[in-house]
Amino acid sequence: MSTPLKVAVLGCGSVGSQVVRLLQEQAGDLAARVGAPLELVGVAVRRLDAAREVDVPEGLLTTDAQGLVARDDVDLVIEVIGGIEPARSLILSALENGASVVTANKALLAEDGPTLYEAAEKAGRDLYFEAAVAGAIPIIRPLRESLAGDTVTRVLGIVNGTTNFILDKMDSSGAGFAEALEEAQELGYAEADPTADVEGFDAAAKAAILASLAFHSRVTASDVHREGISEVTAADVQSARDMGSVVKLLAICELKDDAVAVRVHPAMIPRSHPLASVREAYNAVFVESQAAGQLMFYGPGAGGAPTASAVLGDLVTVARNVLADKRGAGESAYADRAVLPMGETTTRYHVAIDVDDKAGVLATVAQAFAEHGVSIQTVRQEGRDDDAQLVVVSHSATDAALAATVEHLRGMDIVREVTSVMRVEGGEE
Amino acid sequence: MSTPLKVAVLGCGSVGSQVVRLLQEQAGDLAARVGAPLELVGVAVRRLDAAREVDVPEGLLTTDAQGLVARDDVDLVIEVIGGIEPARSLILSALENGASVVTANKALLAEDGPTLYEAAEKAGRDLYFEAAVAGAIPIIRPLRESLAGDTVTRVLGIVNGTTNFILDKMDSSGAGFAEALEEAQELGYAEADPTADVEGFDAAAKAAILASLAFHSRVTASDVHREGISEVTAADVQSARDMGSVVKLLAICELKDDAVAVRVHPAMIPRSHPLASVREAYNAVFVESQAAGQLMFYGPGAGGAPTASAVLGDLVTVARNVLADKRGAGESAYADRAVLPMGETTTRYHVAIDVDDKAGVLATVAQAFAEHGVSIQTVRQEGRDDDAQLVVVSHSATDAALAATVEHLRGMDIVREVTSVMRVEGGEE
């Protein structure tokens, strides 16, 4: 057995405290799996006297994170502070000082990943981040390694537990968005300020990371078209039910010719799709590739212990690499694919319209779709008193053509209101 | 870019031909991902003139597999012949000659894995085998690396597509085993001689591999308690339906205190369990671990192209290791846990009994369970003409106690027939 490898942990919140706990409780197993003991040498925190879920051994807590990563005897740094700064500076310092780094920081990777990848490459050290996407679910390693001999064509992910909980609640109880959000907040699934989750920012960061890995290209958060779920209504969810579908917030990464389309928005998917049965706050990532076909990875997408499991899995791999004086698989952006504008992305639309109930309405509406080159897959007509509702599902078309069609419908005399517009994914095109 | 790495492929059947095809079609991407071109230098086959699904470049086909692996210029050997010999000798020769090996050979790994692991260790080369369990689904790498910082407590796998297709058909159509098998054979999901699949030999080999990895111990096929599905009746499947469950052939690997329990048998699982929705010939592996919680990995478990995807994913990793002159994670059997005899394994039983329809029958049957220390969770009584049926589901008990209870029931005067006995998994104990 080799001499111990020295580990520094940055941050001791819900993930960091579980990392520290597991480093202590599993020390014997970790040593056997790595081939050397892992010695915790410091835990950087903002306040020494904060309440914590773990007993950090005396003398290891410090408020000097920069001093900790600047130590020349630290082999491995775990960054679980989150956010852009000081996390970025600390990771860069750690790499420059010769440490390998494990991080769970999706926001930072999605905003400025290339800076970090280049620093790791230059330093000859590892930067691993399994915990950054979908918590405990192994998805980074499968994309980066298991599917390295295949061509991934599409990734559909439920990668935000808060929004999945809210949409699942709306589906199962008929509740509206506000009511479901309130329940999620009461149960601790949503923050007091839920913006990052419900407006899709969290999912967009993960989509950027997934697209980068799946398509061997650089995709950042600003490349991701993003729509949240705050405008999803009980009527949208009911309309999905009526067509045997369910509404999910999806992170969608697709290969289109040789470009990448990447977006986050609510979408209707058929109940027969494997993603449809992902309930409550669970996450799942559905991957389509040319040779492997359809794969799905399912599990808890957040939480202290699950995220810590992913961090420690990376830590074992990175520690073995340190012992062998080598690096694992680094960033692979060789394909250097362009990101398609949202307007050129192809998708399908579900549109519900209140129209005057008179002869020829269906023909007039169909003509509006045809003028924009959008083909209709199904249309359902429901009469009500003096007006009628049309529910149209299109075939695949560009988002720009579909959006223009909806705009056109809104301006038509016979259209009283476009009551629901939602994209449709996961079925036949 | 480095000089090419030389690749030899042993076997050119349904998997081998897809491996050769992908090596040719994806050559550019593979080179970019590895950091060096992969040059196919030979394909060993039994007959040069057999019909193949791929055009092997002139001069590369050979019937001299031993000569191919003995070449001192081969860096990487892919073994997709299957079976014990000559595969074992060829892999050992390849390792001794300094090549790293990728194999899909579950039978060989389950029977004699340790011999191969030791040879790889001694040669300082890699032996990777993602394709050996559940085809394209990444499960070896997640168990070996992603969960290396966690403690896996249970693995439940649907790892044989043939039997899942048959059981799914019996569930959806009410067909008996023979009829469902015939349909599976007509559609190409079952072999003319289906023994290896329907009697659980294939699943038992995979269970041994999964248990070895999950529990860092050596488990071979002979350690696995094995029961197939040929005696599962339409009545069993209906009985499962009646209690909101479905019958699946499961590979079950559990940590019990510090021992390993590993078995393959049909079992009833609740329809709400994620494994219950695995339809047709798909595979899925459900993993429970202390920190990560419940994970599931889903996808195609067999087929030429999916299996080739897994082989090539391994090939990219192993090739990178060759370039860096290092090894990946090798075997980890440090925990050296004992395998529990089946009788000491704990499980639950579902037992259906035809009994005389007279007063006190239920009490008498309940007494038989109590005498063996088995606690009853639920009992359902259905009267019919002059007799009645009791359906009993037990709480968790040792398999020996449960088997003794059933034996006792069979000898009782009031019991006309024990019509169905099946284990129950995936619910509360």
Side-chain angles (χ1 to χ4, degrees):
Chain A
M1 183 82 51
S2 305
T3 52
L5 294 174
K6 296 196 161 119
V7 181
V9 178
L10 310 179
C12 200
S14 67
V15 177
S17 59
Q18 293 302 314
V19 167
V20 170
R21 179 180 68 80
L22 290 168
L23 278 171
Q24 296 172 340
E25 288 180 11
Q26 311 247 41
D29 284 310
L30 290 169
R33 295 172 193 177
V34 168
L38 300 178
E39 181 191 347
L40 183 63
V41 298
V43 180
V45 294
R46 259 185 303 195
R47 290 189 12 240
L48 292 177
D49 61 352
R52 304 206 156 77
E53 293 166 30
V54 67
D55 286 328
V56 179
E58 187 118 14
L60 294 190
L61 283 178
T62 172
T63 55
D64 181 12
Q66 184 54 50
L68 186 58
V69 298
R71 279 174 57 164
D72 60 8
D73 64 338
V74 170
D75 302 293
L76 303 157
V77 170
I78 296 171
E79 185 276 304
V80 283
I81 301 173
I84 307 301
E85 285 294 350
R88 176 169 46 198
S89 304
L90 292 169
I91 291 174
L92 292 172
S93 289
L95 291 167
E96 277 163 25
N97 283 307
S100 286
V101 175
V102 175
T103 176
N105 195 329
K106 58 197 169 265
L108 175 56
L109 290 165
E111 176 163 314
D112 201 15
T115 300
L116 302 177
Y117 306 143
E118 279 158 24
E121 171 96 33
K122 192 171 156 211
R125 290 294 175 266
D126 282 332
L127 175 67
Y128 272 51
F129 50 88
E130 182 64 76
V133 180
I137 308 173
I139 182 62
I140 303 299
R141 196 175 260 104
L143 282 175
R144 192 143 85 158
E145 301 182 40
S146 308
L147 289 163
D150 204 340
T151 301
V152 175
T153 52
R154 180 181 290 158
V155 179
L156 295 180
I158 295 173
V159 293
N160 180 272
T162 305
T163 48
N164 201 58
F165 181 90
I166 292 169
L167 292 170
D168 185 33
K169 182 57 58 180
M170 290 173 73
D171 178 58
S172 60
S173 74
F177 170 77
E179 188 186 336
L181 169 61
E182 197 174 324
E183 182 169 347
Q185 285 171 321
E186 279 164 15
L187 293 170
Y189 288 119
E191 312 260 352
D193 175 359
T195 309
D197 292 316
V198 304
E199 297 304 342
F201 291 97
D202 174 81
K206 293 163 178 170
I209 297 170
L210 290 171
S212 302
L213 289 163
F215 306 127
H216 301 271
S217 298
R218 288 185 170 174
V219 180
T220 63
S222 60
D223 294 321
V224 182
H225 175 86
R226 178 192 51 76
E227 298 171 31
I229 65 162
S230 58
E231 287 171 27
V232 175
T233 64
D236 292 330
V237 171
Q238 183 57 46
S239 203
R241 291 190 75 84
D242 291 343
M243 55 180 254
S245 293
V246 59
V247 177
K248 295 290 189 188
L249 182 70
L250 297 181
I252 305 171
C253 315
E254 292 174 306
L255 193 60
K256 289 279 174 187
D257 301 318
D258 202 43
V260 173
V262 54
R263 53 207 164 99
V264 167
H265 55 67
M268 295 180 182
I269 57 171
R271 284 189 191 269
S272 58
H273 193 284
L275 285 174
S277 56
V278 177
R279 305 291 304 274
E280 302 184 337
Y282 274 88
N283 280 198
V285 182
F286 186 80
V287 178
E288 295 178 20
S289 71
Q290 283 178 358
Q294 301 184 328
L295 304 171
M296 191 171 80
F297 305 81
Y298 165 95
T307 308
S309 170
V311 166
L312 286 178
D314 276 354
L315 189 73
V316 169
T317 299
V318 168
R320 285 172 179 157
N321 289 347
V322 169
L323 282 187
D325 195 22
K326 63 184 178 69
R327 294 186 72 207
E331 188 206 14
S332 167
Y334 75 91
D336 196 21
R337 294 182 166 109
V339 176
L340 272 187
M342 184 61 189
E344 294 175 34
T345 298
T346 54
T347 180
R348 298 163 60 211
Y349 268 31
H350 165 283
V351 186
I353 320 163
D354 275 351
V355 291
D356 292 341
D357 191 10
K358 53 188 182 192
V361 165
L362 178 53
T364 310
V365 165
Q367 179 58 26
F369 278 81
E371 279 177 33
H372 295 276
V374 176
S375 163
I376 290 175
Q377 187 190 48
T378 61
V379 60
R380 200 173 70 235
Q381 186 161 206
E382 285 165 12
R384 288 185 315 197
D385 297 345
D386 63 338
D387 64 356
Q389 187 173 57
L390 291 182
V391 178
V392 181
V393 178
S394 77
H395 279 293
S396 204
T398 65
D399 199 74
L402 289 159
T405 306
V406 171
E407 202 50 41
H408 183 157
L409 291 170
R410 288 203 165 105
M412 289 169 70
D413 285 345
I414 56 156
V415 171
R416 298 187 180 182
E417 191 185 355
V418 176
T419 55
S420 170
V421 179
M422 194 173 290
R423 297 186 186 87
V424 176
E425 300 288 339
E428 289 171 33
E429 299 182 358
Chain B
M1 181 87 50
S2 305
T3 52
L5 294 174
K6 296 195 159 120
V7 181
V9 178
L10 310 179
C12 200
S14 67
V15 177
S17 58
Q18 294 302 314
V19 167
V20 170
R21 177 179 70 79
L22 290 169
L23 277 172
Q24 296 172 340
E25 288 179 9
Q26 311 247 41
D29 284 311
L30 291 168
R33 295 172 194 178
V34 168
L38 300 177
E39 182 189 347
L40 182 64
V41 298
V43 180
V45 295
R46 261 187 302 197
R47 288 185 18 237
L48 292 177
D49 60 353
R52 305 207 155 78
E53 293 166 30
V54 67
D55 286 329
V56 180
E58 188 116 13
L60 293 190
L61 283 176
T62 173
T63 56
D64 182 11
Q66 184 54 51
L68 185 57
V69 297
R71 278 173 57 164
D72 60 9
D73 65 337
V74 171
D75 302 293
L76 303 157
V77 170
I78 295 170
E79 186 275 306
V80 282
I81 300 172
I84 307 300
E85 284 294 349
R88 175 169 47 199
S89 304
L90 292 169
I91 291 174
L92 292 172
S93 289
L95 291 167
E96 279 163 24
N97 283 306
S100 285
V101 175
V102 175
T103 176
N105 196 326
K106 59 196 167 264
L108 175 56
L109 290 165
E111 177 163 313
D112 201 14
T115 301
L116 302 178
Y117 306 143
E118 280 158 24
E121 172 95 32
K122 194 173 155 208
R125 290 294 175 265
D126 280 333
L127 174 68
Y128 270 52
F129 50 87
E130 182 64 76
V133 180
I137 307 173
I139 182 63
I140 303 298
R141 195 174 263 106
L143 282 176
R144 194 143 82 159
E145 301 181 40
S146 308
L147 289 163
D150 203 341
T151 301
V152 175
T153 52
R154 180 181 288 158
V155 179
L156 295 179
I158 295 174
V159 292
N160 180 272
T162 304
T163 47
N164 201 58
F165 181 90
I166 291 170
L167 292 170
D168 185 34
K169 182 59 58 181
M170 290 173 73
D171 178 57
S172 59
S173 75
F177 171 77
E179 188 187 334
L181 169 61
E182 198 173 322
E183 182 170 346
Q185 287 171 320
E186 279 166 13
L187 293 171
Y189 288 119
E191 312 259 352
D193 175 359
T195 310
D197 292 316
V198 303
E199 296 305 342
F201 291 97
D202 174 79
K206 293 164 177 168
I209 297 170
L210 289 173
S212 302
L213 289 163
F215 306 126
H216 301 271
S217 298
R218 287 185 171 174
V219 179
T220 63
S222 61
D223 294 320
V224 182
H225 174 85
R226 178 192 50 74
E227 299 171 31
I229 65 163
S230 58
E231 287 170 28
V232 175
T233 64
D236 291 330
V237 172
Q238 182 57 47
S239 204
R241 289 189 76 83
D242 291 345
M243 54 181 253
S245 294
V246 60
V247 177
K248 296 289 188 188
L249 182 70
L250 296 182
I252 304 171
C253 314
E254 293 174 305
L255 193 60
K256 289 278 175 189
D257 302 318
D258 201 45
V260 173
V262 54
R263 52 208 165 95
V264 167
H265 55 66
M268 295 180 182
I269 56 171
R271 283 189 191 268
S272 56
H273 194 283
L275 285 173
S277 57
V278 177
R279 306 291 305 274
E280 303 186 335
Y282 274 87
N283 279 199
V285 182
F286 186 80
V287 178
E288 294 179 20
S289 70
Q290 283 177 359
Q294 301 184 329
L295 302 171
M296 190 171 81
F297 305 80
Y298 165 95
T307 308
S309 169
V311 166
L312 285 178
D314 277 354
L315 190 72
V316 169
T317 299
V318 168
R320 286 171 178 159
N321 288 348
V322 169
L323 282 187
D325 194 23
K326 64 185 179 68
R327 293 186 73 206
E331 188 205 17
S332 167
Y334 75 91
D336 197 23
R337 296 183 164 107
V339 176
L340 272 188
M342 185 61 188
E344 294 175 33
T345 297
T346 53
T347 179
R348 297 164 60 212
Y349 269 31
H350 165 282
V351 186
I353 320 162
D354 275 352
V355 291
D356 292 343
D357 191 11
K358 54 188 180 194
V361 164
L362 177 52
T364 311
V365 164
Q367 179 58 27
F369 277 80
E371 279 177 35
H372 296 275
V374 176
S375 162
I376 291 175
Q377 184 189 50
T378 62
V379 60
R380 199 173 71 235
Q381 186 161 206
E382 284 165 11
R384 288 188 314 200
D385 298 348
D386 62 339
D387 65 358
Q389 188 173 57
L390 291 182
V391 178
V392 180
V393 178
S394 76
H395 279 293
S396 204
T398 66
D399 200 75
L402 289 159
T405 307
V406 171
E407 202 50 41
H408 184 157
L409 292 170
R410 287 202 166 105
M412 289 168 71
D413 286 345
I414 56 157
V415 171
R416 299 187 179 181
E417 192 185 354
V418 176
T419 54
S420 170
V421 179
M422 193 172 293
R423 297 185 186 87
V424 176
E425 300 287 341
E428 288 169 32
E429 299 183 355

